[in-house]
Every structure is written in C-alpha cells, then in structure tokens.
Amino acid sequence: AIAAAVFNGNSSKLQIVNASLEERLPLLNDKKVDFFVGIDYSMQREVHDNNLGKGFSFSTPFLYEGMTFGGVPEFVDCAENTDTLFGLCRGLRVCAIEGTTFLERSRDLLPDVNVIGVNDSAIVTDFLNGRCNVVAGIGYSVQAFKPYAESVTNRSYSVGKYKFSKIALTIATRQDDPQWSDFINWILQALLAAEEQNITKSNAEAFPNTMVFGEQYKRMFSAAIGEAGNYAELYETHHKHTPREGLNLLNNGTTGLVTPFQFGPLVQSKGPLPVSGSTMDTITKRGVLRCGITAIGSTDAWKGMDESYCIAIAASLFSGNATSRITYVNRSTPEEGFELLHNRDVDVLAGVPLTLEADVFEPTTNIGYSFSQPFFYPTVQAPIAIATREDDPQWTSFVNWIVQCSFFAEEYEMTQRRSNELPAVNLFGSDYKEMFRHAISAVGNYAEIYEKNLADKIPRQGRNLLNAMPYGPQHFSLFI
C-alpha cells in the first residue's frame, strides 16, 4: 500500500528486507530501510531506545495483539495462573526474548527465577531442548509455533487462553523526517476510512484525492487502496485464520477509545536531559509554560480539559508546582492558535482538532504539526488533542505521554490521591523522574479530569469511555 502510494500505483518498486527483532530498529536507524512494519509501540521506544540512544516515530497501530503463553500444556496452565509454588508448577520455566515487552511482562507476572531472557534466534532451540517449557510472545507467533513444536518434540503443545498485555503493532520511522512519518500514518488512516465508507479495492478511485503532500501524490490514498484493499480486505488477506475481534474491530462510536499504550522499561532506560536550546530547556529556564487554550466564552465542548492538561504538563516540568508556572494564551480559532505555535508565542496548543491538514500542511502557516493522543472525541468533529511543533520530538513525546499517563492512571485506578503509585520515569533524565506522579497529583486521572470539566455538560459516553479489559473495538479513522 505504501509503495503504491509513493509510486502512483506501482508497488513493484518495493524491496522487502527481512530482519530479526534485534535487527529491526538498528537497520532503520542506519537508513538501510525506509520504515519497518510490525514494531510494537511503547513510550521507551518513542523517547529513547537504550541500545541506539534515540527515539523513533510510530504510526497509528494497524494490528492489536497481546502476550500469550504457549508450550507444555501443564506448564502453560501454571503460567496463566501465575502459580510457581505448588507441585509441578515449581518447575515452570518461561523463555521470552531479551529487550522485548514480553520479557518485561513475564517478569511482572512471575518470579525472576522462573523467567529466562533469551536471544531472538535462540528461543525456538531453547524450548525444543528443554531449557524452558513455556514461551511467552505475541499471540499469533506463539500459535504459529504449535505445529512445528509438536512435530519435533512428539508431544502436545498448547496455547494459553488469555492475553496478558495490549500490544499495538505499528510502522516505525526515523524522527528526522516528520513528513515521511505523516505520509505513512495517513496511508493507514485511509485504509481504515475506506472500510468505514465501504470503499474497496474494486472502487478505490472513489476515495478523495488530497494535495497536502503535493500534486505528485494527490492519488496516494486511492492508489494504496487499489493495491492493498481497505483495512478489512488487508486483514482477510494476511490474518484469515485469526478471527477479527476485540481491539481489531472498527469503533462505531458506542464504545470507548480512551486507552494508554505500553510504557516499556521506564526506570531501566535512562534517557538524556533536554539539550540546551530545546523546548523543554527553554521552558524550564524561562520558568513558565506558555499554553495556548480556547478563548474565554468559547462554546467548544471540551473547554476546561485543555486547561487541566496544561496544568498537568506544567506540574510535570516544575516538580509539581503548576499554579505559578503557566501563562495561558487565549485563541479564538484553531488557525490563530497555529500562528501562535508557529511563532513560538506558545509552547503547546491544547484543545485543537487533529486533522489531515493540521498534521501535514496547516494552511495558515504552511507547515505541519505534531499531536498527542486525542483526549476528547466529539460526536461529529475530528478528535481533540494537544499540538506541538514538529522540530522537537522529545518535547512532543513528553506532552503525548502526559496525556497517556492520565489514561493509564484511570485504567489502573490510580486517582489523584494515589498518584505516588504511578511509575517513575528516567527517559527524560533524572530531573523528570516524577513526571507522571506530579501530573496526576495536580489534576487527577482522565476520569477525574472529565468529571471536573465536562460531566455536568456532556455525560461521559461513547468514544470518551475507557477501553479496558475485555477490550472493545479500537480502530478509528481520523478522516472526518
């Protein structure tokens, strides 16, 4: 789909590069590939990969999966019940690949003595040779291993019934070219929109053209759909043996979309302090966060939530002290707000619609902007998020994960009073280790923010609900 979009329908110019889990991000970093498909998204990978010393950009998720246990049936039962103390369960040994969220999650669930970190290339051999009796991994891979394991070992192999994490598989790109990252992301958005609008491979030309990437790419969306089909067709082609359910369904507006993504190893991964002259450095030296918000008297439904998120960001920057550390800059229209952001009169623009044009080529300023996860979903309008400039991915990530930590805190029932239970973070340097705790201490979790600002005007329902276990549909197109 991406190759067809780039080369006006000619996907033959695509070169596939196969790589192990350990090789993928290094190949991308070294510009040996233009993007990598199937990287699970996490805060740690976005902000600061320990091995490479930098972060990466990630598309909207194209597939949601979860960590599953597979292996010798009796021991799979032990792992699923987190039983390591009784009977044969004392012999449980789980193999998970080093450097993955599967290893981290396995160690969350089970004692370290029962979990073995192994190389990507060794996990199959280690299981077959009996070093471990269970493997932990992404669901479809654990399932696909079953016939091979049974044929080689001549014994039963079972796959667990439960998913122990929420894994968002995405397309990863480098952070040095936001236009390319946007291009890929909006191809995925178009595939989802095509399914919503019943546009298929056979009538792909019905999808509207766009000029945001220039005349050369005006047919990018119809070319991608004509080659790969809409999202439903793509899923059927590659996952026809896996029922499409839960998170992988289209959200029709009746269930929640508010959900956090994985953090990854926050304490073990030690990122650098903001460099001199960066947005975070400038704000901390100035001593004040300048936050663009909806003008007083605005009829915008989400008015008030934008201010709460400004407070959360300021509290995270200034060790919990937000009250005297914010300057609010009112703007009457999103266009006026983008001018303020472009001219560096504000550091963030809170409460603006996330649209194709604003993301790629905002017409007032003729540039694109970065956006956090949406924090409010109007009924008929584009979702509402926080915009930042595209020239500082570290700052964009900081803002994005403050928003996401409010979702996480609600999911795990960490209220304003329990903010000290939020995880510590070393990804932005030691000065911001308490960033999550300060944010939630200042304004509460997402449910508390919504209740304070909107509940009396707009009862919380539909897409503004939390999407937690058992997970409902999460796919949602930003084309409104």
Side-chain angles (χ1 to χ4, degrees), residues 131-187:
R131 185 182 180 199
C132 50
N133 39 45
V134 170
V135 294
I138 198 164
Y140 63 80
S141 292
V142 173
Q143 178 68 50
F145 182 44
K146 175 180 170 68
Y148 179 72
E150 289 183 333
S151 67
V152 172
T153 62
N154 198 30
R155 65 188 184 200
S156 296
Y157 173 104
S158 70
V159 177
K161 297 176 289 184
Y162 304 112
K163 300 287 177 64
F164 286 90
S165 65
K166 177 179 57 190
I167 298 169
L169 293 178
T170 66
I171 300 176
T173 50
R174 293 180 294 275
Q175 290 184 338
D176 58 4
D177 190 348
Q179 187 181 51
W180 176 235
S181 300
D182 288 342
F183 188 94
I184 289 174
N185 186 53
W186 284 98
I187 291 297

Side-chain angles (χ1 to χ4, degrees), residues 70-292:
V72 179
E74 307 92 291
F75 288 107
V76 170
D77 290 342
C78 296
E80 290 211 301
N81 294 317
T82 62
D83 180 3
T84 60
L85 298 177
F86 302 102
L88 64 85
C89 290
R90 287 178 292 182
L92 173 66
R93 295 293 180 271
V94 177
C95 280
I97 297 172
E98 290 278 7
T100 66
T101 54
F102 311 130
L103 181 60
E104 179 190 358
R105 183 63 177 139
S106 296
R107 286 176 172 161
D108 286 342
L109 295 167
L110 302 164
D112 284 354
V113 69
N114 298 98
V115 180
I116 304 168
V118 299
N119 292 329
D120 184 15
S121 57
I123 190 167
V124 171
T125 304
D126 284 343
F127 176 79
L128 297 177
N129 291 343
R131 185 182 180 199
C132 50
N133 39 45
V134 170
V135 294
I138 198 164
Y140 63 80
S141 292
V142 173
Q143 178 68 50
F145 182 44
K146 175 180 170 68
Y148 179 72
E150 289 183 333
S151 67
V152 172
T153 62
N154 198 30
R155 65 188 184 200
S156 296
Y157 173 104
S158 70
V159 177
K161 297 176 289 184
Y162 304 112
K163 300 287 177 64
F164 286 90
S165 65
K166 177 179 57 190
I167 298 169
L169 293 178
T170 66
I171 300 176
T173 50
R174 293 180 294 275
Q175 290 184 338
D176 58 4
D177 190 348
Q179 187 181 51
W180 176 235
S181 300
D182 288 342
F183 188 94
I184 289 174
N185 186 53
W186 284 98
I187 291 297
L188 292 176
Q189 292 291 340
L191 300 182
L192 293 169
E195 180 182 356
E196 287 179 338
Q197 299 168 27
N198 295 316
I199 297 174
T200 65
K201 185 184 290 190
S202 62
N203 66 333
E205 292 300 326
F207 203 94
N209 290 342
T210 181
M211 296 296 289
V212 295
F213 290 100
E215 173 76 23
Q216 181 179 353
Y217 302 105
K218 68 180 183 181
R219 291 186 60 257
M220 57 183 284
F221 298 138
S222 58
I225 298 162
E227 176 64 29
N230 63 31
Y231 182 81
E233 291 174 297
L234 200 63
Y235 191 98
E236 176 64 22
T237 299
H238 298 284
H239 293 278
K240 57 187 175 183
H241 299 301
T242 305
R244 188 178 169 193
E245 57 191 7
L247 292 160
N248 289 307
L249 296 172
L250 284 180
N251 187 292
N252 65 6
T254 61
T255 58
L257 278 177
V258 175
T259 193
F261 293 105
Q262 296 183 106
F263 289 150
L266 298 183
V267 176
Q268 302 92 319
S269 300
K270 300 185 185 298
L273 285 167
V275 298
S276 178
S278 67
T279 306
M280 290 176 68
D281 178 64
T282 299
I283 296 168
T284 52
K285 287 178 178 175
R286 184 198 306 140
V288 172
L289 172 73
R290 297 189 300 211
C291 195

Side-chain angles (χ1 to χ4, degrees), residues 42-100:
S42 71
M43 180 182 181
Q44 181 258 337
R45 283 181 171 154
E46 179 180 293
V47 179
H48 183 81
D49 180 89
N50 261 1
N51 295 324
L52 299 172
K54 62 174 62 176
F56 293 86
S57 295
F58 296 88
S59 70
T60 191
F62 64 84
L63 185 70
Y64 292 94
E65 253 289 1
M67 188 191 83
T68 303
F69 293 116
V72 179
E74 307 92 291
F75 288 107
V76 170
D77 290 342
C78 296
E80 290 211 301
N81 294 317
T82 62
D83 180 3
T84 60
L85 298 177
F86 302 102
L88 64 85
C89 290
R90 287 178 292 182
L92 173 66
R93 295 293 180 271
V94 177
C95 280
I97 297 172
E98 290 278 7
T100 66

Side-chain angles (χ1 to χ4, degrees), residues 357-372:
E357 288 74 19
D359 190 36
V360 180
F361 192 79
E362 194 279 319
T364 307
T365 56
N366 294 331
I367 60 171
Y369 295 88
S370 297
F371 288 83
S372 70

